[in-house]
């Protein structure tokens, strides 16, 4: 893989921050140095001046995570840009267990699997976009798309090319048709402006709730090889899949080192701790880390230590057992929302049962644009949903869809909400 052709001039010009590297080297040296070593080098504040001294956090099984005074000093201090070593090590083992990336033992320059922790997956995703996108670049995605992703892409000035999708996600034949505008060898000619990457949420796409099948992933990956574009596998709902076995990921089939995978703990551990991780070819992950060196410096040391202690306490099996408990909760919530929809919206709307995630994507029949119904009339009836136009490249275009979330409301509340909505639809048709 020629990674240089994908990287923007701004990303290519990033250099290692001397202070960051020095700080990390000093921390390593001092951890092994004798007491006689005197350091006047570090620019770290003295942790003895910090007001926080100890912490005890109780987790669901009654066990605790304890920060004694020494651990707390570390938790409140600067740390490594790519993530604290013990968390990185645990996450790498997890990725090997779940995905077994073919690139694990490749030479670094040829796409060896690397990983870094980010301040939530959105932070990692934005840095990946800024690493890759020049104004005017063509990128591939499939509507509807999470509005946060669209708002990250719009300012970068890329051409977003929508690939048709259905209840099983992006349609490979539709992708083939779009790619037929180019010849495979055009990727070697910058003037041809072939698509730089394909962006996809392969499981429980927000808002549509769709998931790509294994066969479709294989077809899409082969097209990526043929036309030489990267795949950004944004998978925040990977740990909220309702059906077993889980479909193989793009990372698991990445023999070329062309997949950048973005993971999140927000849906299964905490959305507020802001811990995500990016896995991909070392030459590209290094660019993300260089960006972090001069932006956030590093993800929160405190939250990383907290999550790391929990994961080491659980082990991989304990973590996956917790994931299963979370899935069971969301499966019941999903079933409750679908039951309410079937009870009140049958004949008035259409939907598909989601295979992962937290959302049902609903099309109201007979109303070409539901924006006023959802944003005005529904609010007056004390029901809140998101109109579908928010999830399209052109958000001003009319949309008959809306997104309903089943993460927080009780089954009783879902039932009442759809009863009220049904009445509104009947009054509006």
């Amino acid at each position: 893989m020629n990674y240089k052709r994908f990287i923007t001039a701004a990303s290519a010009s990033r250099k290692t921050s001397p202070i960051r590297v020095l700080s990390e080297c000093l921390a390593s040296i001092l951890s092994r140095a004798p007491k006689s070593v005197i350091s006047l080098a570090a620019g770290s504040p003295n942790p003895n001046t910090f007001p926080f001294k100890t912490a005890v956090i109780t987790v669901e099984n009654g066990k605790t995570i304890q920060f004694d005074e020494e651990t707390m000093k570390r938790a409140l201090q600067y740390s490594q840009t790519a993530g604290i070593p013990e968390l990185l090590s645990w996450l790498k083992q997890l990725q090997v267990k779940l995905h077994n990336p073919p690139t694990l033992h490749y030479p670094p320059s040829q796409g060896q699997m690397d990983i870094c922790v980010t301040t939530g997956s959105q932070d990692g995703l934005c840095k990946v976009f800024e690493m890759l996108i020049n104004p005017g670049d063509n990128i591939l995605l499939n509507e509807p798309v999470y509005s946060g992703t669209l708002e990250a892409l719009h300012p970068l000035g890329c051409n977003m090319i929508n690939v048709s999708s259905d209840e099983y996600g992006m349609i490979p034949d539709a992708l083939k048709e779009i790619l037929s505008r180019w010849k495979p060898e055009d990727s070697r000619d910058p003037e041809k402006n072939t698509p730089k990457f394909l962006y996809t949420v392969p499981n429980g796409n927000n808002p549509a709730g769709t998931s790509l099948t294994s066969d479709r992933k294989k077809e899409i990956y082969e097209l990526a090889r043929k036309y030489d574009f990267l795949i950004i596998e944004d998978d925040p709902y990977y740990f909220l899949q309702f059906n077993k076995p889980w479909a193989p990921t793009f990372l698991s089939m990445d023999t070329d080192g062309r997949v950048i995978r973005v993971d999140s703990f927000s849906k299964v551990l905490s959305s507020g701790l802001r811990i995500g991780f990016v896995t991909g070819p070392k030459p590209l992950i290094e660019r993300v880390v260089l960006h972090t060196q001069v932006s956030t410096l590093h993800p929160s040391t405190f939250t990383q230590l907290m999550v790391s202690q929990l994961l080491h306490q659980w082990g991989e099996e304990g973590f996956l057992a917790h994931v299963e408990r979370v899935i069971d909760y969301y499966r019941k919530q999903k079933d409750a929302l679908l039951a309410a929809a079937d009870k009140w919206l049958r004949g008035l709307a259409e939907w598909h049962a989601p295979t992962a995630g937290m959302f049902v994507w609903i099309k109201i029949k007979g109303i070409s644009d539901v924006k006023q119904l959802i944003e005005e009339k529904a609010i007056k009836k004390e029901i809140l949903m998101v109109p579908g136009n928010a999830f399209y490249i052109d958000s001003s275009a009319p949309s008959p869809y809306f997104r309903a979330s089943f993460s927080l409301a009780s089954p009783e509340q879902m039932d009442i909400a759809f009863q009220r909505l049904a009445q509104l639809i009947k009054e509006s048709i």
Side-chain angles (χ1 to χ4, degrees):
M1 292 283 293
N2 175 20
Y3 294 111
K4 288 181 181 178
R5 85 170 190 84
F6 294 103
I7 296 170
T8 65
S11 182
S13 68
R14 293 192 186 280
K15 300 287 189 287
T16 301
S17 166
I19 290 292
R20 280 267 79 206
V21 172
L22 180 63
S23 296
E24 293 181 18
C25 287
L26 284 171
S28 177
I29 292 167
L30 288 172
S31 67
R32 304 187 307 270
K35 297 284 186 183
S36 57
V37 170
I38 300 169
S39 174
L40 302 179
S44 302
N46 193 313
N48 293 322
T49 66
F50 298 156
F52 310 100
K53 299 305 176 185
T54 63
V56 178
I57 300 150
T58 306
V59 295
E60 61 185 359
N61 60 6
K63 292 184 178 179
T64 59
I65 294 167
Q66 299 195 25
F67 284 13
D68 59 21
E69 287 199 24
E70 284 307 306
T71 305
M72 183 63 89
K73 286 179 181 179
R74 183 186 172 203
L76 298 176
Q77 194 56 275
Y78 295 126
S79 59
Q80 295 88 343
T81 300
I84 61 172
E86 61 265 46
L87 180 57
L88 277 176
S89 175
W90 200 96
L91 293 175
K92 185 174 182 179
Q93 289 174 12
L94 181 70
Q95 296 299 65
V96 171
K97 177 183 176 69
L98 296 176
H99 312 291
N100 193 24
T103 56
L104 182 62
H105 300 297
Y106 281 24
S109 63
Q110 293 178 29
Q112 181 187 85
M113 182 198 116
D114 200 6
I115 189 167
C116 68
V117 182
T118 54
T119 307
S121 63
Q122 187 77 5
D123 172 52
L125 198 58
C126 285
K127 285 168 178 166
V128 168
F129 289 157
E130 291 183 29
M131 169 179 68
L132 299 176
I133 296 173
N134 289 305
D137 280 348
N138 289 318
I139 68 164
L140 304 158
L141 45 70
N142 61 292
E143 295 176 309
V145 185
Y146 171 54
S147 57
T149 299
L150 291 174
E151 295 314 314
L153 290 169
H154 275 303
L156 300 177
C158 56
N159 302 316
M160 290 180 257
I161 302 173
N162 177 46
V163 183
S164 297
S165 58
D166 58 20
E167 64 182 293
Y168 305 108
M170 185 179 287
I171 301 169
D173 284 345
L175 178 58
K176 282 180 194 172
E177 186 176 342
I178 287 169
L179 292 171
S180 68
R181 303 175 195 174
W182 296 274
K183 298 173 184 175
E185 59 269 23
D186 286 347
S187 64
R188 295 191 288 272
D189 182 356
E191 297 298 316
K192 300 292 186 182
N193 199 17
T194 58
K196 192 169 263 187
F197 65 78
L198 178 145
Y199 168 83
T200 183
V201 178
N203 294 297
N205 170 49
N206 176 6
T210 56
S211 297
L212 275 169
T213 62
S214 179
D215 286 344
R216 285 194 178 187
K217 286 179 184 173
K218 289 173 184 174
E219 284 189 71
I220 290 168
Y221 188 80
E222 287 308 311
L223 288 169
R225 299 189 77 187
K226 183 176 179 180
Y227 289 90
D228 195 23
F229 56 82
L230 302 175
I231 295 174
I232 299 178
E233 183 174 34
D234 182 13
D235 212 354
Y237 303 101
Y238 178 76
F239 296 116
L240 291 187
Q241 296 183 67
F242 302 128
N243 304 317
K244 288 287 183 73
W246 293 351
T249 59
F250 281 111
L251 184 65
S252 72
M253 56 185 74
D254 184 25
T255 53
D256 292 346
R258 66 175 66 251
V259 173
I260 303 170
R261 179 177 171 81
V262 184
D263 280 285
S264 173
F265 280 147
S266 289
K267 311 304 184 286
V268 292
L269 293 186
S270 161
S271 50
L273 289 179
R274 309 309 300 138
I275 296 288
F277 46 109
V278 183
T279 309
K282 191 174 184 65
L284 299 181
I285 299 300
E286 286 175 343
R287 298 284 112 196
V288 174
V289 173
L290 288 177
H291 190 164
T292 301
Q293 283 186 354
V294 294
S295 58
T296 55
L297 300 189
H298 58 82
S300 164
T301 316
F302 189 101
T303 57
Q304 287 187 85
L305 275 171
M306 193 164 112
V307 168
S308 180
Q309 282 200 25
L310 177 65
L311 294 175
H312 280 90
Q313 187 182 102
W314 274 346
E316 286 178 358
E317 295 309 315
F319 167 70
L320 294 173
H322 170 76
V323 166
E324 286 301 322
R325 291 191 292 273
V326 175
I327 291 171
D328 285 343
Y329 167 80
Y330 283 106
R331 185 185 290 112
K332 289 172 185 173
Q333 290 289 100
K334 178 253 306 180
D335 291 344
L337 190 78
L338 291 175
D342 197 54
K343 179 179 177 181
W344 297 109
L345 301 181
R346 180 174 285 278
L348 300 173
E350 299 172 349
W351 59 89
H352 295 294
T355 51
M358 317 176 156
F359 309 106
V360 177
W361 187 235
I362 300 176
K363 179 182 180 181
I364 297 177
K365 296 179 179 180
I367 302 177
S368 61
D369 189 9
V370 303
K371 185 175 172 64
Q372 183 183 24
L373 176 70
I374 298 299
E375 288 190 342
E376 297 176 22
K377 296 179 181 179
I379 289 175
K380 287 178 182 176
K381 291 290 184 181
E382 299 183 325
I383 46 175
L384 305 178
M385 293 154 295
V386 183
N389 64 295
F391 303 98
Y392 288 87
I393 297 166
D394 179 6
S395 61
S396 65
S399 172
Y401 290 91
F402 71 92
R403 189 193 77 178
S405 169
F406 49 81
S407 62
L408 297 174
S410 69
E412 295 75 21
Q413 289 173 322
M414 296 176 197
D415 189 75
I416 293 168
F418 280 173
Q419 182 183 15
R420 292 176 186 172
L421 179 62
Q423 186 60 41
L424 282 176
I425 295 171
K426 291 172 184 175
E427 291 170 2
S428 301
I429 294 176

